[in-house]
Amino acid sequence: MVLSSLITAWTLLCGASLALTALAYVSTHAVLGRDPPRRGPRPPISILKPVRGLDDGLYDNLVALARQDYPSFELLVGAEDPDDPALLIAAQVRRDFPGVSIRLVAGGAPIGHNPKVNNLAQLLPLARHPHVLISDSNVRPGPHYLAALAGELADPRVGLVHNVIVGAGEQTTGALLENLHLASFVCASVCAASALTDQPLVIGKSMLMHRDDLERAGGLAAVKDLLAEDYQLARRIQASGRVVRLSPFRLTTINTEWDLPRFLGRHLRWAQMRRRQQLGWYLTEPLGQPMVLLMILLAASLWRPDIAVFGRSPAALAILGIALKLTADAALWHRLRREVMPLRALLLAPLKDLLIFALWCVGLVRRRVEWRGHWMRIGPQSRLVPDAPRPATPTVPASEARAP
C-alpha cells in the first residue's frame, strides 16, 4: 500500500513536471516566433571581445563580426596574456578586413577574481562608442546580428539586450551534449523567464548596453568578483529602472571539439553558480527536467509491474511521457537549428538529462570551481574567493597588442 501510494505520488509529480516543461516550451516557441525589429536606431557600437586560447573556429567567429551589415562599429579583442595565440588569429582578421576598425589589447591588470571581467575591464576604457556589446569568443552571428540587437533600442526603456543562444558545429560527443542542452533546458529557461516572469535570465555571450546604463548599475567593478557576472549585471541594470530585453535573433555559438570532461566541468560550474544565487529556484529545477523523473518512474514500475496508477500501468505512462519529452526536444531543435534532429542526438538526450541531474546534485554541496585554469571557491551570489593565495601581480596599464 505504501509503495503503491509512493508510485502514484511520483506519477503525479511527473505529470506536473511535464506540464511545466510544456509551458516553458510553448513560451519558447512564442518568443522565437517574434521577428526582430526591422527598423530602429543604428547607433555606433563598440564590440568587446574577450579571448583566451584558440576556441573552435575562432577565425570564422571574428570574421562573422567583421562582415556585419551595420553602418558603424568597432571590434576590440582582448587577452590577459600578450602571447595568447588568439591575438594572432585576430591580427590575421585585421589584415584581411582593413576597412573594419579592429584593435588588439593585452596586459591589463586584474580588477577582481572573474577572469572574463578582468579582460573586459581593459577593453571598456578604449571603446570609442557609447553603446557597447559584450560578445564571447565562440559566437558566430549572422550578418544582421548588430541590426537586430540595435533595433530593440527603439523602445527607450531598454537598457540591455541579450540573445537566444543556439549551439552548433558538434563533431564529438561532448560538443553534441553541450549543444543538446543549449537547445533544450537552457533555451527554454531563458525564453520562459523572459515571457513569464519579471526576472530575466541572461547568458553573457551577447549583451548590448549603453555605457551610462552600465555605470548606473555599478560598472564592471560591481561584478568583478562574481562568477555569474552576466546575470548579476542584468539584475542591476533592471534594478536601476531599465528594461532587459531578450532578442529572438538566434545567435550561434560554435562548440565543435568538446570532450566529456569539458561538458561536465562547465555544467558543474553553472550548477554551483545557480545554487549560490537563488537556492529556491535551484531546488525546483528538476521539475523542469522531467526525463529523470520519468526514468525513475519507469524503473519503479518495472520492478513492481503489479501496481497500477489510475487503472493504468505506470510503465506505459512513463514511456508516453518520455516520448512526449523527446518529441518536444526534437521540435525545439528543428525550430532553433532549422534541421531535423539526428538520431544520435535523440538517443543521447536522455543520457544528457541524467548527467545534468547528477551535476545538479553535486552542485547542492560543492563550492569549488575551476574556470580556464583558475581555481576558486564560490559563495553567496556566486561571489568568488581564490582557493589558494594568488601571487602578487604587477600593476601595468593595458596596451594595444602589437601582434603581427
Side-chain angles (χ1 to χ4, degrees):
M1 178 63 72
V2 173
L3 183 58
S4 177
S5 298
L6 287 175
I7 291 179
T8 299
W10 196 264
T11 302
L12 292 172
L13 183 65
C14 290
S17 177
L18 284 170
L20 287 173
T21 302
L23 178 61
Y25 276 46
V26 168
S27 301
T28 301
H29 284 285
V31 169
L32 296 175
R34 179 170 65 89
D35 291 329
R38 298 187 178 183
R39 290 189 174 88
R42 296 292 185 267
I45 295 175
S46 294
I47 305 171
L48 311 184
K49 178 74 73 170
V51 297
R52 176 167 174 165
L54 299 179
D55 281 313
D56 296 334
L58 179 60
Y59 176 84
D60 291 329
N61 299 343
L62 295 174
V63 166
L65 282 172
R67 288 177 172 164
Q68 285 297 297
D69 183 10
Y70 196 78
S72 179
F73 65 94
E74 64 172 351
L75 177 58
L76 289 87
V77 182
E80 293 178 277
D81 182 357
D83 295 323
D84 195 305
L87 293 176
L88 296 176
I89 300 297
Q92 182 61 53
V93 175
R94 183 170 60 182
R95 288 192 294 271
D96 294 343
F97 292 85
V100 178
S101 176
I102 301 176
R103 286 184 286 165
L104 314 182
V105 183
I111 66 170
H113 301 316
N114 183 314
K116 178 180 176 180
V117 174
N118 288 337
N119 207 339
L120 292 170
Q122 69 175 343
L123 295 174
L124 184 61
L126 302 177
R128 298 188 179 116
H129 304 312
H131 282 90
V132 294
L133 171 64
I134 296 174
S135 172
D136 274 8
S137 55
N138 65 345
V139 301
R140 188 178 298 173
H144 304 297
Y145 165 59
L146 293 183
L149 290 184
E152 301 290 351
L153 301 177
D155 183 344
R157 302 171 303 159
V158 172
L160 185 148
V161 186
H162 61 121
N163 283 90
V164 173
I165 306 298
V166 182
E170 62 278 347
Q171 295 180 9
T172 62
T173 298
L176 178 55
L177 291 171
E178 173 68 10
N179 292 339
L180 272 170
H181 197 49
L182 289 176
S184 53
F185 180 76
V186 173
C187 179
S189 297
V190 170
C191 291
S194 174
L196 302 176
T197 78
D198 62 351
Q199 293 295 321
L201 182 57
V202 174
I203 296 176
K205 291 188 174 296
S206 170
M207 299 190 297
L208 174 66
M209 67 200 85
H210 196 284
R211 292 176 75 153
D212 289 347
D213 290 317
L214 175 59
E215 290 306 313
R216 276 192 292 269
L220 294 175
V223 296
K224 63 184 176 62
D225 294 324
L226 304 180
L227 179 59
E229 86 291 334
D230 43 11
Y231 174 76
Q232 292 292 343
L233 188 58
R235 290 191 65 184
R236 284 165 168 76
I237 288 177
Q238 185 184 52
S240 71
R242 306 289 280 157
V243 171
V244 176
R245 177 70 50 81
L246 174 63
S247 168
F249 187 94
R250 283 83 151 171
L251 178 60
T252 300
T253 177
I254 303 299
N255 303 307
T256 304
E257 300 287 345
W258 285 43
D259 56 18
L260 184 59
R262 182 176 177 183
F263 168 78
L264 296 175
R266 162 178 271 192
H267 290 286
L268 178 56
R269 186 173 68 246
W270 280 20
Q272 294 176 80
M273 179 177 66
R274 297 193 308 272
R275 182 257 183 268
R276 298 294 167 180
Q277 291 180 113
Q278 297 281 353
L279 178 58
W281 284 111
Y282 186 78
L283 293 176
T284 66
E285 281 187 11
L287 289 177
Q289 303 181 68
M291 183 65 71
V292 174
L293 303 179
L294 290 164
M295 293 176 76
I296 293 173
L297 177 62
L298 179 60
S301 59
L302 293 176
W303 176 49
R304 287 295 304 272
D306 56 306
I307 295 177
V309 176
F310 307 124
R312 297 182 178 274
S313 166
L317 296 173
I319 292 171
L320 176 61
I322 291 171
L324 290 173
K325 176 60 167 58
L326 291 175
T327 300
D329 284 350
L332 186 53
W333 176 285
H334 185 270
R335 183 71 176 269
L336 289 169
R337 298 187 30 152
R338 298 180 176 89
E339 65 182 25
V340 175
M341 177 184 276
L343 179 61
R344 180 166 176 253
L346 195 66
L347 294 176
L348 278 176
L351 172 62
K352 184 269 296 180
D353 286 347
L354 283 171
L355 291 174
I356 291 296
F357 178 74
L359 295 174
W360 178 88
C361 294
V362 177
L364 280 170
V365 295
R366 185 179 169 92
R367 291 189 57 194
R368 190 169 182 259
V369 297
E370 186 273 335
W371 188 11
R372 295 203 174 200
H374 298 266
W375 281 99
M376 288 165 279
R377 297 184 72 80
I378 182 170
Q381 293 191 333
S382 77
R383 188 165 299 279
L384 297 169
V385 178
D387 197 45
R390 295 197 306 174
T393 302
T395 301
V396 294
S399 61
E400 294 206 24
R402 304 301 181 196

